[in-house]
Amino acid sequence: MWRIFPLVWLGYLFFPIRAYLSAPHSPWLTALALAALLAFTGVWINIYTRRIWKQHQALIVSGFAACLLMYTLGLLVVGYDSATFLVYAGALIGYQASLRVGVWGMAIIVAALLTPGWVGFLRPGLGHLGLVDLVQILVLTLVALWGNHAAYRQTISSIRLARVQAEKEKLAADAERERIARDLHDLLGHTLSVIVLKSELARKLAERDPARAIAEIADVERISREALGEVRSAVRGYRGSGLSAELARSKVALDAAGVRLELDAPELHSGGLNLPAAVEYAMEMVVREAVTNIVRHAHARHATVRVLRDGQAFVLEVRDDGTSRSDGPHVEGTGLTSMRERVRATGGDVQVSRRNGTCLRASFPLEAQASAQTGLRRAGA
């Protein structure tokens, strides 16, 4: 919206157009004035709606010169009502990187306004611009120049920040891939080499010493099981980096979508919640799916995430003020179905309400978590 906001200032063309229409003119002059006006409007729109590129400053200087020409020709036809184009000239010459160029542009504008011979040569008898009008035009031009220069610098800073952020994300992704590759090499490189050697030894001993060959095969089985457990532990580490980290990523995603996130999880940050690993991982997946739905479908402005212990259950609640989906609460997509299955696997339940937005509530009973931990201890025993 802010990129096209400068188009609003085209409304000031009302003043020279009104002055032109207040007196009769020949058809060819009207056609020429209309063509010049359309050309100026096209240049203005092109400058403020296109992406900034290397030749931007040359385009700005060209637009500035075109505004001065429109002012000069306008003096011949509508008089000082064409001074509107000087304000446009100030706005354009400010919308570039060099403040020095802007200052020179402002000096040219002041000279065009304050040189009496300039106006008398073009249109004798036009007179002088009143002091109040003169000050008003100069102030508007200066404000437009400085404001657009600040806006341009802000735009450039935003572009550079986005590039730096993208580069950081790329470097982080590369580093993460390298870490995973290094971890997998450390985990499996030595283990697979041992498995290969023991398998070759078992094959050679199969005829000469079957008992020893069987022992080697048993070692291969044991080493393989240990490697499988290490891989599973590593995968769990890659999948879940903690609920706090997932909430931080969710805030970034929602901020980018223009949704304000309010987090209500004091016990989580203080470390007093003590979530079981399975529950925390399930909550991570629920938050990720819920935030994805908010960004893609909800058209929300505000979202709230609550994590708390409610009686005999851990509770995660994600609420937004967006529009409910038209397919109703009984038709669920793959994401929500997968979410329910994941939560039920930990003994919990998911409830979805679509009144005044969407509220997703996942509860994980403490009793179910205790039973799961007991089962794991018995299995280990």
Side-chain angles (χ1 to χ4, degrees):
M1 186 183 94
W2 293 111
R3 282 191 62 83
I4 65 173
F5 186 76
L7 303 185
V8 174
W9 306 122
L10 289 174
Y12 282 99
L13 290 175
F14 165 78
F15 297 104
I17 292 175
R18 180 189 61 180
Y20 183 86
L21 296 178
S22 64
H25 299 282
S26 61
W28 68 267
L29 183 58
T30 300
L32 182 62
L34 181 60
L37 197 61
L38 291 176
F40 164 76
T41 304
V43 170
W44 184 272
I45 293 174
N46 188 45
I47 287 174
Y48 284 106
T49 58
R50 70 180 301 161
R51 291 185 180 274
I52 295 172
W53 55 313
K54 292 182 179 179
Q55 286 75 28
H56 175 81
Q57 193 164 28
L59 182 63
I60 288 294
V61 173
S62 300
F64 174 77
C67 288
L68 292 180
L69 180 62
M70 292 287 287
Y71 166 68
T72 303
L73 297 177
L75 284 175
L76 298 172
V77 182
V78 298
Y80 283 115
D81 282 295
S82 66
T84 300
F85 291 102
L86 292 181
V87 181
Y88 286 134
L92 286 178
I93 203 62
Y95 195 63
Q96 43 78 37
S98 175
L99 185 59
R100 180 180 299 178
V101 173
V103 171
W104 277 107
M106 188 65 195
I108 293 173
I109 292 172
V110 171
L113 273 173
L114 299 183
T115 306
W118 172 263
V119 178
F121 173 77
L122 289 175
R123 187 173 175 179
L126 182 60
H128 299 286
L129 193 64
L131 180 61
V132 175
D133 293 332
L134 178 63
V135 171
Q136 182 180 4
I137 292 172
L138 289 176
V139 169
L140 285 176
T141 304
L142 185 60
V143 169
L145 188 152
W146 179 254
N148 275 15
H149 183 68
Y152 179 86
R153 294 177 68 90
Q154 179 64 32
T155 300
I156 293 299
S157 298
S158 299
I159 292 173
R160 289 175 178 171
L161 181 61
R163 289 175 181 172
V164 170
Q165 185 64 28
E167 185 66 23
K168 285 183 177 180
E169 291 176 358
K170 181 179 180 301
L171 292 175
D174 292 342
E176 185 67 10
R177 282 194 292 268
E178 291 178 2
R179 183 180 73 86
I180 293 174
R182 184 173 59 252
D183 289 352
L184 290 178
H185 178 270
D186 294 343
L187 282 172
L188 298 178
H190 175 71
T191 302
L192 291 177
S193 298
V194 173
I195 290 175
V196 170
L197 291 175
K198 284 188 170 291
S199 299
E200 291 177 350
L201 180 60
R203 177 174 55 81
K204 294 177 181 179
L205 293 174
E207 295 181 358
R208 291 185 299 149
D209 192 349
R212 187 177 173 188
I214 291 174
E216 295 295 337
I217 292 297
D219 281 345
V220 168
E221 180 183 2
R222 176 183 58 79
I223 294 171
S224 300
R225 291 185 182 277
E226 291 176 355
L228 182 60
E230 291 175 351
V231 169
R232 285 173 175 170
S233 298
V235 169
R236 280 195 297 269
Y238 295 141
R239 283 180 176 176
S241 54
L243 183 56
S244 296
E246 185 62 40
L247 290 172
R249 287 191 290 267
S250 298
K251 177 172 176 55
V252 172
L254 291 172
D255 286 344
V259 182
R260 185 169 62 88
L261 175 62
E262 180 182 345
L263 180 60
D264 182 10
E267 292 181 278
L268 178 65
H269 295 312
S270 65
L273 204 55
N274 294 324
L275 291 171
V279 171
E280 184 169 10
Y281 180 62
M283 284 188 176
E284 289 180 50
M285 296 300 103
V286 170
V287 169
R288 185 176 303 177
E289 179 64 26
V291 168
T292 300
N293 288 337
I294 293 173
V295 171
R296 290 182 178 177
H297 308 297
H299 306 290
R301 293 293 183 185
H302 180 266
T304 303
V305 177
R306 300 179 64 205
V307 183
L308 68 154
R309 178 170 174 173
D310 184 9
Q312 295 301 310
F314 297 112
V315 175
L316 167 68
E317 185 177 283
V318 183
R319 181 186 298 272
D320 68 77
D321 60 354
T323 55
S324 300
R325 293 179 56 184
S326 59
D327 53 10
H330 301 295
V331 180
E332 296 182 355
T334 305
L336 185 54
T337 301
S338 175
M339 185 193 305
R340 287 188 184 278
E341 293 173 353
R342 190 182 302 277
V343 174
R344 285 171 182 167
T346 64
D349 185 38
V350 175
Q351 298 177 350
V352 180
S353 172
R354 292 194 173 96
R355 292 183 179 179
N356 299 322
T358 301
C359 178
L360 187 149
R361 181 183 175 92
S363 59
F364 304 84
L366 298 179
E367 182 180 351
Q369 308 311 315
S371 301
Q373 293 297 325
T374 301
L376 288 174
R377 286 194 295 269
R378 289 176 179 176

